Structures are given as C-alpha cells and as structure tokens.
Amino acid sequence: MKKYDVVVIGLGPAGMAVTNMASEMGLKVLAVESRNIGGECSNTGCIPSKALLAISEKNPMLAEPFARINADIDHIRENRISSLSGKADILLGQGPASFVNGEVIRVGEEEYTGKHIFIATGTRPFIPPIEGLDKVEYLTNENLFQLEAIPESLTFIGGGAIACEMSQAFARMGCKCTIVHDRPYLLPNGEKEAGEFLQRGCEKLGITVYNSRVIARVSKRDNGRIVVRTRDGEEIESEKLVVAAGRSYDFSSLHLENAGVEYGRKGIVVDDYLRTTNKHIHAIGDCNGSYLLSHAAMHQGMLALMNTMMMPPLKKKYLKYPVPWTVFTEPQVSHVGRTSAELDAEHIDYEMVETKYSDYENAVAGDKGEGYVRVYASSAGRIYGVSIVGANSGEMINEWALAIQHNIGLYDLMMTMHSFPTMGFLSKRIGENWMMKKMQPGFVKKLLKLFF
C-alpha cells in the first residue's frame, strides 16, 4: 500500500488547487480523477460556455463552433496534465476512488493511504422528475458542447446561469430559444430587478421567457420535435431540449459510510473549517453544497489545505469570505453579499444607494449606458450587499467583495481615487451619492453655511 501526505479525489477547480499547492510545498500527493482533468468547469462548464459566448459575439457564423471549442479544451487539458507531471502522482481514468476506511482509498485493485484526504468530486446535472422526460433525448451542460451544428430551436428548462448564458449564445447564432422555469424571475438567487433587467436583454435577442411555469410533461412528436407542456396549458415546441435545472450529488461510488463521513441531499456535511465528520477528511468545492461556483471551490481548496497546518485559533472559517458571482450575459449580472430579500428576512435596516450607467458619460459614450450599481448599506456606510447589472460588472464586483471582507465602508470607497474614465469609477460614484444623501437634512445645510 502506497502512503501519501495528501490524497485528492477529484481534479476540478478545488482538487487542482490542493494538488498544486501541496505539491509545491514538497508534500507527497496522490490525485485521483475518474473522468477528465479540470472537472466540469474546464470541460463542460465555465470555459466552453464562455468560448461559445465569445464566438457568438465575434463570429456567430463560424462553421463548426463546437469542434473549435473542443480542440481548445483538449489543448488546455493536455497542458494541465503536463503541468502536474512530476509534481504529483496522478491516477487519471483508472476508475473512481472508494473508501476502505477513514484513511485508505481503493482505486481499481490498488489501495492508497493519506494523512489528509480531500474529497472534491463536484456535482452532476439535476434531472427533474417531469413526466415523459425519461422518454426523450435531452441535452445538459455535459453533452451540449458535443453538438455538431447549431439547432434550429432550443427549449431550456431552468432560469439560472446556464440557461441564460447559453440561450443568448445560441440565439446570436440563429437559434430560436425559449426559457421555461418555475421561479418568478431569471437568476432567482439574485435580485428581482436584476432578473427582470436580464429578461429584457434576452427578449431583445428574440428569446422567449416563461416565468413561474410548472412543466406538466414532455413528449416527442412523430417528426422528432420535442414538446414541453406547462400546467398553464402552453405548448413549447423545439428541435432540441436542454435541461439546466440545477445540480445533484452522487456519492455512491465513494462508499463514504466506510470512512464515517456523513452526507445528505445537499452534499457532504462539513464544519466551519471544511472538515467532514471524519476530521482527517475534507470536502471542498461543489460536493459540500455551500457555493456551486468554480472560484469558491478553488478558494475552499486553498483554505482547507492551510487549515491542516494551523492550530485552531489560526484556522480559517470558509463562510467568513464573501463570494461574488457573475453571469456573463448581455447585460452582465453580478452580485456579492446579501440580497435585499435576505436583509428584509433578517430584519436588518439598510439604505439603498444606486448610480445608473446612463448617468456616467464614459458608459454612454462607449455604448454601455444600460445598467446600474446598487448597494445595500447601513446608515453609517457598512456594506451588506451589492448588485451590478451592466457592462464590465464581473470586473467591478471584485472591489466590492474586498470591501465587504475587510469591512471597508462607503466613505473609504468615496475617498479612494479611481482611474477615470473606467467603468469602475461608478463604484466611487456610489460613495459620493451616499455622502450627498447625508448632506440633505436642513440642519446639515445650515451648519455647512457657517464655513462659507
């Protein structure tokens, strides 16, 4: 039996982070990946979806876009394998790992032991229990990029990031797209106004959106076309169907019970430090159900490895770090911190401070005048949450994540010089708008007159 300092199960963003860091530290590392290195993000998620979005914006008539994307993915995958070669022992495509006990895993016929074991197995597409769905062919993000050509029409079940991004990409490339989902607005984990703003952007591209619709059943016509029927009586017909209704967990091959690791419908149970119920085993990334985002997975991998080397007072609680997210649609939608609905539910008093893209000369001049920055903050300027809808929001949101993490208030942002005329200058405008509100009361104006 081979012994290792670190054993990593899964080489997606979380597992790659641990494997790279631990090997660079000189630790003996074993990494196991039953499918493709890079996980969902590199192979069937973030990277190919952004590649398709880029093609749809710059070259929508490109012949065989999926062949181009998959060639690039293959190149990236080979580079990653090469980068790990010699740094860690990699078991790629040799079967899933399963626990023999709390310290030993089996891959194929071989057994391996690790002082610390990191589970980073990710998630799979959730397939909702819709009548007839099991009798038709459907796409998910796992096989969407294996298409040979752009379909004439697509129906997306789900109103989250995958459905919104991919419907826009396919729509630009001449595909008639429809989104149908059971929530009241698109991107339901964000702000209602952001979802409504995004819907208008989708509709400009000819995408039809059905909100608050429960699907009764799915069937296939004699001509091969797919029909989605809602309980409201609508029939939505298309050439192909995409299921983008969330994520699910499958830990059956791991045999977690042999290691004393508890799990449930929402993922593997972890404590504040990403340890499972077996303290020598960590669960990082999507598999613990906390944040299903690649950058959150990478961050958790880093924190979990650091925590194995620290005494309790120095260990890092992963939930203390705000998680920004961006959906790369037109317009882009980004958020960090609490939403207004969450603040209302927690009975937290807050002020909303907003600046519109249309009020900023550089945005208007650059044909980026649609959008806004909206901040929820205390009367003293403590930032609770930020929603940015519009061009470059994905770049702008990171500053707000830093501000929330380090308790930097609106006054400090106002007093920080921002390069002009960048879109990030709108963040400084928020601080200025907040301060101008403080100057509105009559007694403040009277006091200020004493100095002039």
Side-chain angles (χ1 to χ4, degrees):
M1 182 187 302
K2 291 185 178 180
K3 297 182 179 180
Y4 291 87
D5 299 314
V6 170
V7 171
V8 180
I9 304 174
L11 276 175
M16 288 283 290
V18 173
T19 301
N20 279 312
M21 287 180 62
S23 60
E24 289 293 337
M25 292 174 181
L27 300 176
K28 188 177 181 182
V29 181
L30 171 69
V32 183
E33 174 53 63
S34 61
R35 302 175 76 191
N36 289 317
I37 193 168
E40 181 198 36
C41 177
S42 292
N43 296 284
T44 62
C46 318
I47 303 305
S49 65
K50 303 310 168 287
L52 188 64
L53 281 166
I55 290 171
S56 73
E57 291 172 353
K58 298 176 182 177
N59 192 5
M61 303 307 293
L62 177 69
E64 300 184 347
F66 302 107
R68 165 75 174 273
I69 291 169
N70 284 303
D72 289 341
I73 295 303
D74 289 342
H75 177 70
I76 293 169
R77 189 184 300 129
E78 290 302 318
N79 282 345
R80 284 186 163 165
I81 293 172
S82 298
S83 70
L84 287 176
S85 179
K87 294 181 179 179
D89 290 345
I90 309 295
L91 299 180
L92 185 60
Q94 298 184 32
S98 62
F99 282 95
V100 176
N101 55 49
E103 296 180 351
V104 178
I105 66 165
R106 180 182 290 119
V107 182
E109 300 299 321
E110 300 293 328
E111 293 185 351
Y112 309 87
T113 182
K115 185 176 180 181
H116 294 283
I117 300 176
F118 297 83
I119 303 171
T121 50
T123 57
R124 302 294 296 274
F126 171 68
I127 308 303
I130 298 171
E131 180 185 345
L133 187 57
D134 59 340
K135 295 179 175 61
V136 303
E137 293 181 1
Y138 57 83
L139 299 164
T140 69
N141 69 293
E142 291 188 336
N143 58 359
L144 180 64
F145 303 103
Q146 301 305 317
L147 287 170
E148 294 182 359
I150 301 297
E152 172 268 329
S153 54
L154 282 173
T155 298
F156 291 82
I157 296 178
I162 295 174
C164 293
E165 289 184 352
M166 291 299 90
S167 64
Q168 289 202 352
F170 278 92
R172 292 191 191 100
M173 302 174 85
C175 179
K176 172 61 179 174
C177 293
T178 303
I179 295 174
V180 55
H181 67 129
D182 61 0
R183 304 297 291 274
Y185 51 88
L186 297 177
L187 307 182
N189 291 330
E191 293 286 340
K192 181 175 184 289
E193 292 82 359
E196 292 171 343
F197 207 106
L198 175 57
Q199 180 169 336
R200 292 193 290 274
C202 288
E203 290 169 346
K204 287 180 180 178
L205 292 171
I207 300 166
T208 303
V209 179
Y210 291 92
N211 298 314
S212 301
R213 298 301 203 281
V214 176
I215 298 173
R217 61 192 177 97
V218 175
S219 61
K220 187 174 183 178
R221 296 199 193 281
D222 292 339
N223 61 6
R225 294 175 69 82
I226 306 296
V227 179
V228 173
R229 292 176 174 84
T230 73
R231 290 183 184 174
D232 288 33
E234 295 110 340
E235 289 193 354
I236 305 160
E237 181 179 314
S238 58
E239 180 184 346
K240 293 186 180 295
L241 177 68
V242 182
V243 178
R247 310 298 297 174
S248 65
Y249 306 88
D250 182 5
F251 304 119
S252 57
S253 64
L254 282 171
H255 298 294
L256 295 174
E257 63 279 0
N258 293 342
V261 173
E262 294 182 8
Y263 64 95
R265 289 178 58 252
K266 296 184 178 181
I268 297 174
V269 177
V270 295
D271 65 11
D272 289 342
Y273 308 108
L274 296 160
R275 299 176 301 189
T276 69
T277 45
N278 181 327
K279 302 306 180 186
H280 297 286
I281 301 174
H282 292 71
I284 52 178
D286 291 10
C287 69
N288 65 39
S290 297
Y291 297 102
L292 308 188
L293 296 163
S294 297
H295 50 282
M298 297 176 206
H299 196 261
Q300 287 181 21
M302 176 186 70
L303 291 180
L305 182 61
M306 291 170 61
N307 282 340
T308 64
M309 307 172 190
M310 294 181 176
M311 297 297 290
L314 299 176
K315 289 183 183 292
K316 307 292 185 182
K317 295 182 178 181
Y318 78 104
L319 290 175
K320 289 183 65 177
Y321 296 88
V323 180
W325 54 262
T326 297
V327 179
F328 294 87
T329 45
E330 178 62 41
Q332 280 189 10
V333 178
S334 299
H335 191 92
V336 67
R338 294 182 178 96
T339 63
S340 57
E342 289 170 336
L343 291 167
D344 290 337
E346 295 174 38
H347 305 289
I348 296 175
D349 292 330
Y350 64 91
E351 300 175 358
M352 186 188 81
V353 188
E354 183 180 78
T355 186
K356 297 184 183 301
Y357 278 39
S358 57
D359 293 333
Y360 182 40
E361 52 267 50
N362 183 50
V364 175
D367 195 25
K368 301 176 181 178
E370 293 189 4
Y372 59 82
V373 182
R374 183 175 295 173
V375 176
Y376 305 108
S378 72
S379 60
R382 179 188 174 189
I383 302 162
Y384 295 131
V386 181
S387 177
I388 309 179
V389 178
N392 301 92
S393 73
E395 304 299 331
M396 296 161 64
I397 200 67
N398 298 314
E399 178 179 18
W400 293 100
L402 180 71
I404 294 174
Q405 182 171 319
H406 293 282
N407 201 25
I408 297 170
L410 292 179
Y411 175 80
D412 297 306
L413 279 175
M414 181 189 72
M415 295 301 293
T416 300
M417 281 194 282
H418 288 63
S419 179
F420 181 86
T422 61
M423 294 301 291
F425 196 83
L426 285 165
S427 297
K428 178 178 173 63
R429 283 273 178 92
I430 284 287
E432 294 170 349
N433 291 350
W434 171 76
M435 181 57 75
M436 290 303 101
K437 281 188 176 181
K438 300 301 176 186
M439 300 294 104
Q440 293 303 312
F443 77 92
V444 174
K445 292 181 178 179
K446 291 179 181 178
L447 180 64
L448 291 172
K449 286 182 179 180
L450 296 175
F451 298 97
F452 292 92

